[in-house]
């Protein structure tokens, strides 16, 4: 099931840039070698202007309340909502399992896709009975165990079959629903397609999927910003990546012939160095993610890097996927400033070319992985020199409503230095009280397939 995360900007889209920005008060500095900043819930004071201006789209439990009532309910609502958002990770895990079940090739020899779903399900259940040495199978086993299912027993196998059947049906229904939602706005003249796309997954499970596509789109946006002088040479020192993701079963093709991996943090460092935007030897990147799976993966990579181990990124390319030459060029040079091409013995499916890059340990060590829910939290207190010059957030704000996106934007603004940039492939509602406004965008076409494109919007902190 190919699932892409396009959120194309319709060219006629008028940026809802509003005026009269209100400054944000930053919390004080904390000196010392150790990073003192911690995830800090968004205060009522910072949320109040959003609650007031987006009154029509606040959650029902916060609607039609006086300011005093909202203030006393606020911190309780933030804690509750934080738990609810984190609970969506479980459904995202299940979505990844469906991709793996339909497209994985390490546990079965059946044809890929939905036609062989029953035989594939039986093979997956046999495989998770002894998942030794296979990270993906171990993960599927953990997820079924959470539901009290033991695939080593006859009853457990039957329960697993029913469970996977339900998952496949749910994901198929949801995918169909998203397609219909897009179709419905497309059929209206001047339909707000980009706005609809930008919140399309607001009720969906939080997936960790990622691929080379958004890495390429961010590279193109940085290139444009550098060429326009909006990013000065060697000016970027602190970078944040919100939701770096984990490629569990590649979302476009469903490949599983290499270990789960993350690419965006490495790709952003690579792009900044290649394009002359990074301050040499002084670039630090912080990932901010709500998923323990993503955070543990990055922490383990850093731990291995401290012992001198590199991190291997595997980049598949299906020759039939009709990638544009620019994306092929990016794929061919990916990682040249952060590592070296590696020769690995991998067994990709027929028709799939593979590049592997060994990322140097010093690069891996420059990445700091933080648990943070950007909708409801920010890192604070941030000293001036710790504020971000650049924050990247692709394919993650689409999981939230306009109200939650606006809270996220306020949190992002609080962590950016004045003049700092947020790059996102979402169009976000801009409020005059949040000092972050769109100043342009970069359109990127990935392949000759219809709609295989993205728009990266550049938001600048005032
Ligand atoms: C679909 S992946 C996108 C990965 C990558 N950025 C890309 O464009 O391919 C979404 C990522 O955002 C993370 N995420 C979702 N909601 C988040 C939140 N509220 N705060 C921080 N991270 C979040 C997920 O855990 C996951 O790592």
């Amino acid at each position: 099931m190919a699932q892409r995360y396009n959120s194309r900007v319709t060219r006629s889209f008028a940026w809802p840039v509003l005026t009269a920005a209100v400054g944000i008060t930053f919390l004080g500095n904390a000196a010392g070698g150790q990073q003192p900043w911690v995830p800090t819930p968004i205060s009522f004071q910072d949320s109040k202007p959003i609650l007031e201006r987006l009154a029509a789209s606040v959650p029902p439990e916060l609607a039609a309340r006086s300011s005093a009532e909202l203030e006393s309910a606020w911190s309780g609502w933030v804690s509750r909502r934080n738990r609810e958002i984190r609970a969506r990770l479980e459904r995202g895990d299940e979505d990844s399992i469906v991709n793996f079940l339909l497209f994985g090739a390490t546990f079965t020899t059946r044809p890929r896709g939905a036609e062989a779903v029953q035989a594939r399900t039986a093979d997956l259940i046999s495989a998770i009975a002894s998942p030794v040495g296979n990270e993906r199978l171990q993960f599927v086993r953990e997820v079924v165990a959470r539901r009290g299912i033991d695939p080593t027993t006859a009853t457990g196998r039957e329960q697993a079959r029913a469970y996977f059947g339900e998952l496949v049906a749910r994901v198929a229904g949801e995918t169909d629903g998203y397609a219909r939602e897009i179709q419905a706005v497309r059929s209206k003249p001047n339909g707000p397609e980009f706005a609809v796309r930008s919140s399309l997954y607001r009720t969906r499970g939080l997936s960790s999927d990622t691929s080379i596509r958004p890495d390429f789109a961010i590279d193109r946006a940085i290139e444009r910003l550098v060429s326009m002088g909006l990013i000065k040479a060697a000016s970027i020192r602190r970078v944040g990546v919100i939701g770096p993701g984990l490629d569990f079963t590649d979302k476009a093709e469903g490949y599983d012939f290499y270990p789960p991996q993350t690419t965006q943090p490495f790709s952003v460092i690579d792009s900044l160095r290649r394009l002359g935007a990074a301050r040499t030897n002084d670039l630090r990147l912080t990932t901010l993610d709500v998923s323990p799976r993503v955070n543990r993966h990055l922490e383990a990579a850093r731990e291995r890097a401290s012992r001198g181990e590199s991190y291997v990124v595997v980049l598949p390319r299906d020759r039939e996927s009709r990638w544009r030459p620019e994306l092929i060029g990016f794929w061919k040079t990916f990682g040249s400033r952060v590592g070296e091409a590696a020769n690995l013995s991998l067994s990709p499916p027929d028709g799939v070319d593979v590049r592997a890059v060994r990322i140097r340990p010093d690069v891996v060590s420059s990445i700091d992985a933080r648990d943070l829910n950007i909708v409801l939290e920010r890192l604070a207190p941030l000293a001036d020199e710790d504020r971000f010059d650049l924050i990247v957030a692709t394919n993650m704000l689409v999981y939230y409503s306009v109200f939650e996106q606006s809270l996220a934007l306020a949190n992002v603004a609080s962590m950016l230095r004045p003049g700092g940039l947020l790059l996102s492939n979402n169009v976000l509602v801009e409020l005059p009280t949040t000092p972050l406004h769109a100043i342009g965008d970069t359109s990127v076409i990935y392949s000759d397939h219809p709609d295989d494109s993205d728009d990266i919007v550049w938001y600048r902190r005032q």
Side-chain angles (χ1 to χ4, degrees):
M1 188 166 308
Q3 290 172 10
R4 298 211 166 92
Y5 295 83
N6 293 326
S7 35
R8 257 170 1 97
V9 182
T10 44
R11 304 307 305 168
S12 59
F13 179 77
W15 303 113
V17 177
L18 303 169
T19 51
V22 171
I24 277 196
T25 308
F26 288 92
L27 296 167
N29 190 359
Q34 245 208 338
Q35 269 33 335
W37 14 274
V38 288
T40 305
I42 186 167
S43 68
F44 176 67
Q45 224 38 46
D46 285 341
S47 315
K48 196 169 172 232
I50 300 169
L51 286 158
E52 284 168 1
R53 279 162 205 273
L54 293 179
S57 49
V58 300
E61 66 275 17
L62 295 176
R65 292 214 190 185
S66 70
S67 183
E69 285 169 339
L70 280 173
E71 183 162 12
S72 69
W74 185 248
S75 72
W77 182 81
V78 167
S79 314
R80 237 182 354 267
R81 194 71 193 125
N82 202 350
R83 283 195 299 277
E84 286 164 3
I85 287 176
R86 288 166 189 270
R88 287 171 68 191
L89 288 164
E90 196 162 329
R91 257 187 308 138
D93 287 349
E94 293 175 338
D95 294 354
S96 296
I97 290 176
V98 171
N99 258 8
F100 182 49
L101 191 160
L102 294 177
F103 295 102
T106 49
F107 63 90
T108 183
T109 52
R110 320 268 178 189
R112 305 168 82 219
E115 295 72 37
V117 64
Q118 289 188 352
R120 289 186 141 263
T121 302
D123 290 349
L124 181 60
I125 294 169
S126 305
I128 59 170
S130 59
V132 187
N134 182 321
E135 217 177 311
R136 289 182 181 84
L137 292 175
Q138 280 161 356
F139 167 70
V140 179
R141 173 77 178 258
E142 269 168 41
V143 172
V144 300
R146 272 189 233 150
R147 300 182 72 92
I149 298 174
D150 176 359
T152 63
T153 67
T155 312
R157 282 192 287 280
E158 194 42 43
Q159 289 168 332
R161 200 191 51 74
Y163 173 50
F164 291 147
E166 277 166 30
L167 295 189
V168 171
R170 172 176 69 72
V171 171
E174 284 177 7
T175 307
D176 193 43
Y178 301 132
R180 273 187 280 115
E181 210 173 321
I182 292 289
Q183 208 42 52
V185 282
R186 269 194 184 164
S187 56
K188 289 185 196 144
N190 304 320
E193 183 187 338
F194 187 47
V196 168
R197 278 185 185 278
S198 286
S199 248
L200 192 60
Y201 297 153
R202 62 199 173 279
T203 58
R204 187 181 188 170
L206 295 180
S207 147
S208 72
D209 287 345
T210 183
S211 79
I212 193 175
R213 283 178 163 76
D215 297 346
F216 172 58
I218 290 295
D219 181 84
R220 293 301 76 208
I222 295 173
E223 197 259 350
R224 186 98 186 93
L225 285 158
V226 169
S227 73
M228 289 173 72
L230 291 167
I231 292 183
K232 302 261 180 287
S235 65
I236 306 283
R237 202 175 53 83
R238 292 278 291 122
V239 184
V241 172
I242 307 174
L246 193 62
D247 170 7
F248 178 78
T249 305
D250 164 69
K251 73 189 174 199
E253 322 291 352
Y255 298 134
D256 64 336
F257 63 89
Y258 51 88
Q261 64 181 15
T262 189
T263 60
Q264 196 160 48
F266 307 117
S267 170
V268 170
I269 298 176
D270 191 44
S271 296
L272 289 170
R273 287 188 179 177
R274 183 166 27 78
L275 298 165
R279 200 178 288 182
T280 329
N281 295 332
D282 187 23
L283 182 67
R284 285 185 294 147
L285 186 144
T286 303
T287 58
L288 304 166
D289 205 296
V290 80
S291 160
R293 199 150 58 94
V294 171
N295 295 331
R296 276 199 305 264
H297 179 90
L298 280 158
E299 279 156 19
R302 223 173 108 105
E303 168 64 28
R304 289 194 304 275
S306 72
R307 300 196 300 267
E309 280 181 45
S310 48
Y311 181 99
V312 174
V313 167
V314 175
L315 305 163
R317 175 171 86 89
D318 183 342
R319 268 175 257 134
E320 298 292 301
S321 60
R322 291 156 59 193
W323 281 7
R324 287 282 175 99
E326 301 79 27
L327 177 54
I328 297 177
F330 179 75
W331 172 78
K332 282 185 175 161
T333 54
F334 184 106
S336 61
R337 301 303 163 106
V338 290
E340 288 79 37
N343 269 330
L344 303 182
S345 65
L346 294 162
S347 312
D350 285 347
V352 176
D353 289 335
V354 176
R355 274 197 75 230
V357 180
R358 216 176 271 289
I359 312 287
R360 288 190 295 275
D362 63 296
V363 175
V364 181
S365 297
S366 71
I367 297 172
D368 177 25
R370 296 290 182 124
D371 175 286
L372 184 116
N373 181 348
I374 195 63
V375 172
L376 301 166
E377 298 169 323
R378 63 204 38 203
L379 290 179
L382 280 183
D384 282 352
E385 66 273 18
D386 284 332
R387 288 198 214 161
F388 295 98
D389 303 301
L390 172 70
I391 294 184
V392 170
T394 55
N395 299 318
M396 60 86 34
L397 290 167
V398 66
Y399 289 87
Y400 297 97
S401 66
V402 165
F403 173 67
E404 289 176 330
Q405 289 173 351
S406 300
L407 295 177
L409 219 50
N411 286 324
V412 168
S414 79
M415 297 190 293
L416 279 171
R417 69 162 169 78
L421 294 165
L422 164 71
L423 300 181
S424 174
N425 57 346
N426 274 92
V427 69
L428 303 163
V429 169
E430 294 173 40
L431 300 178
T433 46
T434 302
L436 198 54
H437 298 293
I439 55 166
D441 71 286
T442 306
S443 298
V444 178
I445 298 176
Y446 299 125
S447 76
D448 292 333
H449 291 287
D451 273 356
D452 194 13
S453 59
D454 245 326
D455 264 77
I456 301 292
V457 186
W458 322 331
Y459 296 91
R460 187 163 59 186
R461 162 83 162 86
Q462 282 169 338

